[in-house]
Amino acid sequence: MSQNKTHTVLVVEDVDEISANMSAALKQRGHLVERASNAEQAIRMAEQNRPAMILTDLDLPTFDKLLKLLRAHADLKNTVVAIVDINHPQVADQTVNILCDFQALDELIESSQAK
């Protein structure tokens, strides 16, 4: 990631410790971070701040609802959604990006912002 570009990442995670760890890793990489604990809160925050990416995990109890709300929202339907998981889990929604590490996350943000 280039040093002078800062992007906002919305972390959607219901476990405080995981959310804090994800946020710390993103901040260390130069990103601005916002945190939400469920789908409804995430949508409200995304409407206000238009993050470059939403980072979540498959264990989020409102994961399916988050994707449904995003895809139905006129202004947010193309928001990049990613999961960092070295095991590359299967996800029914093919628009969710499964990333192996935070470097891949940086690259995805940069490529999506270049469009």
Side-chain angles (χ1 to χ4, degrees), residues 7 10 15 22 26 35 63 77-78 86 103:
H7 300 288
L10 175 56
V15 178
M22 291 169 79
L26 291 164
R35 292 166 54 179
F63 177 78
K77 65 183 176 186
N78 294 319
I86 61 171
Q103 179 61 40

Side-chain angles (χ1 to χ4, degrees), residues 9-11 16-29 31-35 55 102:
V9 177
L10 175 56
V11 173
D16 286 338
E17 183 179 356
I18 296 171
S19 178
N21 289 339
M22 291 169 79
S23 297
L26 291 164
K27 287 177 183 176
Q28 194 172 39
R29 300 185 73 77
H31 300 292
L32 296 175
V33 179
E34 296 188 348
R35 292 166 54 179
L55 181 63
F102 283 94

Side-chain angles (χ1 to χ4, degrees), residues 28-87:
Q28 194 172 39
R29 300 185 73 77
H31 300 292
L32 296 175
V33 179
E34 296 188 348
R35 292 166 54 179
S37 61
N38 60 55
E40 294 86 355
Q41 184 182 28
I43 294 299
R44 285 191 305 270
M45 294 176 80
E47 285 174 333
Q48 293 173 355
N49 302 311
R50 302 286 196 259
M53 174 183 287
I54 293 178
L55 181 63
T56 189
D57 73 66
L58 291 175
D59 293 331
L60 182 74
T62 57
F63 177 78
D64 290 332
K65 185 174 190 174
L66 174 64
L67 294 180
K68 184 178 179 180
L69 290 171
L70 279 172
R71 300 311 174 221
H73 195 290
D75 295 330
L76 300 176
K77 65 183 176 186
N78 294 319
T79 302
V80 176
V81 177
I83 296 166
V84 176
D85 190 324
I86 61 171
N87 297 316

